[in-house]
């Protein structure tokens, strides 16, 4: 987890209304910056049943996550929504491991010059300050779409490849497939408003 | 009528519309624009002026549009998000409207990697859907993207592009719906060679009633050579050129005959898309081959173009 800011409860509560919740919380970059109290405040504002909570270091490390997912298998099974408190990398890793589950992040990852986390390899987070993962099935269009598109694939997406670089997958095709699998394709219809680039790196 | 656009007028009066396309020169040569504009005049209701197409530096779209306007035509300024942030985009929107231009096409833009300045920094502050909504709000709400109000709004007929042939196909109708929701008045599609797929997409469009909310102009283009056809088939992302098209061209015995067959094919496609319910017109792209436009439009029985009294 890098430096994060907790999302407003107005953004999170509609995602969890009347659903059982499991929480993943990452303290791996605790020393960098993690607003413990605000995170707890958001959790306290959720009325729904919290069926389990796993707190670990380095949620961005898929091997650790697999262990925890095994250890909490029953609770995770019971939960309808998984909430993640971590940086964008951690949230992406959890989404990828639980790709048939609704996984939402409660954090916006902030820019920290020169600091890229410890285990970020397969998953990229630009630390953009305004996390989109809750609208994209946990795949990041900001770091991975060549044109930073926020409203779905461009007209050049073909055969799952990015038009800009055929060696790269089109992340919007992956987002579409993930949301289709979750039965949440209507999320693609949302008009994504202009992004606040001032909260992200120069 | 939202604007003084000739294209809007043609569409609103129920005519089958024809738009063309003009690529500005990669130089400061005004003569090229005037020459091409004269070729298109009387054959199209409005014409696009590309904005650094394929990310190659060319004369500014708005400047070429002013010249086209001076030739008595109705230009459509293309505007991409590749080179401008929301500040520059809004300044250009105000400027083109003040210059008397009536139409604008909102695009994300071809990636700079494909052009002649691949080292350039791409902007992509907005995407095409956010651009549409911003221009629509400027016109209809008299508001800038930040929310501030303006005294005199830009009166632009707002267009967008859509590609029925890109992936995922199932998202291509919802994506059109997003563009309509964001504010598109008209749509120009990617060049159509695969008529079956286009017809399937149009069916999805009709099923959602989108053809009643936006004017859809089917993209068409003549093919000049076999090389060009093969290039489009294999190299251009988002293009769908069926084998049957290549085979048809292969039957021609000389270069001239291939071009001739390319023109015939284009006319056939125009006639076929015209029969599809919900298609409001065509967008004919004959870039660097503008001289064949009158012939194609004539052979497709689309001449003369409607003329309205002032
Ligand atoms: S949207 Fe992407 S870049 Fe932005 S915080 Fe989320 S994961 Fe990081
Ligand atoms: S092909 Fe996909 S990843 Fe590439 S620019 Fe288009 S939408 Fe983005």
């Amino acid at each position: 987890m890098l430096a994060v800011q907790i999302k407003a409860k107005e953004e999170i509560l509609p995602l969890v209304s009347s659903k059982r919740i499991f929480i993943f919380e990452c303290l791996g970059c605790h020393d960098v910056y993690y607003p413990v109290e605000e995170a707890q405040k958001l959790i306290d504002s959720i009325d729904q049943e919290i069926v389990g909570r796993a707190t670990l270091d380095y949620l961005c490390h898929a091997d650790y996550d697999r262990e925890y997912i095994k250890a909490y298998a029953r609770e995770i099974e019971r939960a309808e929504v998984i909430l993640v408190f971590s940086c964008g990398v951690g949230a992406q890793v959890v989404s990828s491991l639980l790709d048939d589950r609704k996984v939402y992040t409660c954090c916006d990852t902030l820019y920290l010059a020169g600091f890229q986390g410890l285990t970020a390899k397969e998953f990229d987070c630009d630390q953009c300050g305004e996390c989109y993962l809750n609208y994209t099935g946990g795949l990041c269009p900001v770091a991975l779409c060549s044109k930073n598109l926020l409203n779905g694939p461009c007209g050049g997406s073909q055969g799952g490849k990015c038009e800009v670089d055929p060696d790269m997958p089109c992340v919007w095709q992956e987002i579409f497939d993930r949301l289709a699998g979750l039965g949440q394709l209507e999320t693609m219809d949302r008009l994504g408003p202009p992004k606040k680039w001032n909260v992200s790196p120069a | 009528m939202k604007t003084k656009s000739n294209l809007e007028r043609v569409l609103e009066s129920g005519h089958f519309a024809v738009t063309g396309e003009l690529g500005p020169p990669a130089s400061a040569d005004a003569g090229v624009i005037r020459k091409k504009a004269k070729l298109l005049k009387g054959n199209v209701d409005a014409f696009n002026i590309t904005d650094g197409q394929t990310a190659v530096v060319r004369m500014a779209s708005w400047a070429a549009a002013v010249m086209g306007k001076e030739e008595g035509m109705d230009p459509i300024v293309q505007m991409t998000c590749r080179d401008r942030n929301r500040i520059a985009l809004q300044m250009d929107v105000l400027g083109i409207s003040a210059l008397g231009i009536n139409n604008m096409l909102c695009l994300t833009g071809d990636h700079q990697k494909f052009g002649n300045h691949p080292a350039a920094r791409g902007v992509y502050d907005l995407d095409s859907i956010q651009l549409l909504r911003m221009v629509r709000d400027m016109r209809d709400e008299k508001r800038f993207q930040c929310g501030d109000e303006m005294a005199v709004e830009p009166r632009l007929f707002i267009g967008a592009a859509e590609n029925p042939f890109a992936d995922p196909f199932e998202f291509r109708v919802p994506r059109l719906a997003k563009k309509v929701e964001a504010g598109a008045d008209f749509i120009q599609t990617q060049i159509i060679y695969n008529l079956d797929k286009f017809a399937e997409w149009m069916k999805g469009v009709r099923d959602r009633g989108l053809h009643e909310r936006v004017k859809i102009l089917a993209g068409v283009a003549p093919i000049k050579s076999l090389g060009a056809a093969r290039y489009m088939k294999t190299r251009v992302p988002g293009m769908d050129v069926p084998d049957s098209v290549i085979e048809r061209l292969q039957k021609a015995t000389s270069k001239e005959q291939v071009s001739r067959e390319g023109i015939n094919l284009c006319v056939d496609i125009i006639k076929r898309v015209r029969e599809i319910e919900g298609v409001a017109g065509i967008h004919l792209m004959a870039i660097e081959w503008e001289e064949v436009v009158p012939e194609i439009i004539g052979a497709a029985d689309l001449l003369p173009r409607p003329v309205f009294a002032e």
Side-chain angles (χ1 to χ4, degrees):
Chain A
M1 189 201 61
L2 308 171
V4 300
Q5 170 179 292
I6 304 298
K7 283 185 180 287
K9 66 170 191 265
E10 290 71 27
E11 197 181 327
I12 300 303
L13 295 186
L15 301 172
V16 299
S17 60
S18 70
K19 297 191 178 87
R20 288 184 302 276
I21 294 159
F22 186 86
I23 294 173
F24 272 109
E25 187 180 31
C26 175
L27 296 180
C29 303
H30 197 200
D31 298 338
V32 181
Y33 180 65
Y34 180 63
V36 181
E37 280 170 29
E38 283 173 50
Q40 192 53 50
K41 234 169 100 185
L42 177 63
I43 293 171
D44 290 343
S45 72
I46 298 173
D47 282 338
Q48 281 69 46
E49 183 193 355
I50 294 173
V51 297
R53 176 171 178 172
T55 301
L56 63 155
D57 287 350
Y58 305 114
L59 195 61
C60 51
H61 202 312
D63 292 341
Y64 295 173
D65 298 10
R66 280 195 199 95
E67 291 303 315
Y68 277 82
I69 288 172
K70 237 188 260 163
Y72 287 91
R74 273 191 37 219
E75 289 87 341
I76 292 173
E77 183 60 43
R78 272 194 71 216
E80 290 177 275
V81 166
I82 321 282
L83 291 183
V84 178
F85 289 78
S86 85
C87 72
V89 178
Q92 288 179 63
V93 175
V94 174
S95 299
S96 76
L97 294 174
L98 296 171
D99 63 0
D100 54 347
R101 311 299 308 273
K102 294 189 174 102
V103 178
Y104 298 114
T105 178
C106 295
C107 302
D108 291 317
T109 305
L110 304 174
Y111 183 58
L112 211 56
F115 192 73
Q116 294 297 322
L118 297 178
T119 53
K121 275 180 298 207
E122 295 142 68
F123 297 90
D124 211 356
C125 168
D126 278 357
Q127 312 174 357
C128 79
E130 197 189 14
C131 195
Y132 261 75
L133 295 179
N134 294 346
Y135 305 114
T136 56
L139 290 145
C140 175
V142 177
L144 297 176
C145 170
S146 301
K147 297 182 190 169
N148 296 330
L149 302 182
L150 296 175
N151 276 293
C154 73
S157 172
Q158 223 167 23
K161 298 289 176 215
C162 173
E163 68 160 4
V164 179
D165 180 356
D167 292 332
M168 239 175 62
C170 166
V171 71
W172 274 107
Q173 174 74 54
E174 297 182 316
I175 292 168
F176 180 89
D177 294 341
R178 172 90 48 98
L179 290 172
L182 288 166
Q184 286 187 309
L185 270 184
E186 71 285 352
T187 310
M188 296 278 294
D189 295 338
R190 169 180 181 268
L191 285 187
K195 192 161 172 52
K196 296 185 191 113
W197 294 108
N198 56 335
V199 292
S200 55
Chain B
M1 293 266 299
K2 293 170 182 159
T3 70
K4 291 192 175 129
S5 157
N6 185 57
L7 176 61
E8 182 181 12
R9 219 174 206 195
V10 169
L11 288 165
E12 287 304 320
S13 63
H15 287 90
F16 191 78
V18 178
T19 55
E21 191 150 306
L22 188 158
S27 79
D29 186 354
V32 178
I33 307 280
R34 300 202 190 278
K35 202 177 119 215
K36 287 183 178 176
K38 287 198 173 88
L39 285 170
L40 295 176
K41 193 168 180 183
N43 295 295
V44 299
D45 305 314
F47 66 103
N48 295 29
I49 302 196
T50 53
D51 178 27
Q53 195 174 19
T54 63
V56 170
V57 174
R58 292 174 179 278
M59 189 188 294
S61 176
W62 68 265
V66 170
M67 285 177 237
K69 181 109 189 144
E70 284 165 6
E71 297 296 327
M73 299 183 63
D74 191 29
I76 301 167
V77 167
Q78 294 196 182
M79 210 178 288
T80 73
C81 300
R82 175 192 61 229
D83 310 317
R84 302 171 186 82
N85 66 9
R86 66 192 78 179
I87 300 172
L89 287 164
Q90 292 178 95
M91 296 200 298
D92 282 356
V93 166
L94 297 179
I96 62 172
S97 180
L99 285 167
I101 287 158
N102 303 314
N103 314 284
M104 175 183 164
L105 192 82
C106 300
L107 302 168
T108 300
D110 298 324
H111 198 273
Q112 62 276 8
K113 185 187 145 179
F114 297 116
N116 59 356
H117 293 73
R121 178 164 187 154
V123 177
Y124 307 109
D125 177 27
L126 302 184
D127 62 31
S128 57
I129 291 176
Q130 294 162 348
L131 173 60
L132 278 169
R133 175 49 71 86
M134 182 172 81
V135 180
R136 209 263 328 249
D137 285 351
M138 289 174 80
R139 182 189 69 195
D140 295 350
E141 315 278 329
K142 288 192 179 198
R143 278 188 193 283
F144 292 105
Q145 193 269 325
C146 62
D148 289 356
E149 277 182 56
M150 71 188 82
V152 179
E153 75 282 17
R155 304 244 34 102
L156 293 167
F157 194 50
I158 307 167
E162 186 47 59
N163 183 0
F165 309 106
D167 288 328
F169 180 68
E170 308 88 303
F171 182 59
R172 292 297 145 180
V173 172
R175 188 169 188 261
L176 178 76
K178 285 180 88 159
K179 291 197 168 181
V180 175
E181 195 58 39
D185 299 312
F186 70 98
I187 295 287
Q188 292 170 328
T189 76
Q190 169 69 292
I191 303 171
I192 300 157
Y193 294 113
N194 186 340
L195 275 159
D196 293 339
K197 196 148 190 189
F198 177 68
E200 191 185 339
W201 179 75
M202 278 304 302
K203 182 174 182 306
V205 169
R206 287 193 305 272
D207 287 348
R208 288 181 67 157
L210 295 171
H211 63 305
E212 278 154 10
R213 295 172 62 199
V214 73
K215 302 291 184 188
I216 295 169
L217 311 184
V220 293
I223 303 179
K224 210 170 183 176
S225 67
L226 255 176
R230 290 204 183 101
Y231 181 82
M232 281 193 287
K233 184 176 174 68
T234 54
R235 292 299 189 77
V236 182
M239 282 286 302
D240 185 342
V241 183
D243 291 332
S244 59
V245 166
I246 309 268
E247 282 157 19
R248 179 166 167 180
L249 296 178
Q250 265 169 344
K251 287 202 186 108
T253 47
S254 67
K255 273 193 175 158
E256 291 69 36
Q257 290 224 340
V258 173
S259 307
R260 176 105 322 274
E261 205 42 38
I263 291 172
N264 294 340
L265 174 72
C266 184
V267 173
D268 289 349
I269 292 174
I270 294 174
K271 289 184 174 166
R272 299 259 314 262
V273 295
R274 200 177 173 177
E275 283 166 10
I276 298 176
E277 189 193 342
V279 174
I282 54 155
H283 175 53
L284 174 59
M285 289 165 264
I287 289 231
E288 302 308 332
W289 205 15
E290 288 85 356
E291 61 273 21
V292 298
V293 168
E295 182 189 338
I296 292 174
I297 302 296
D301 303 322
L302 291 168
L303 287 178
R305 301 309 310 148
V307 179
F308 301 94
E310 263 316 307

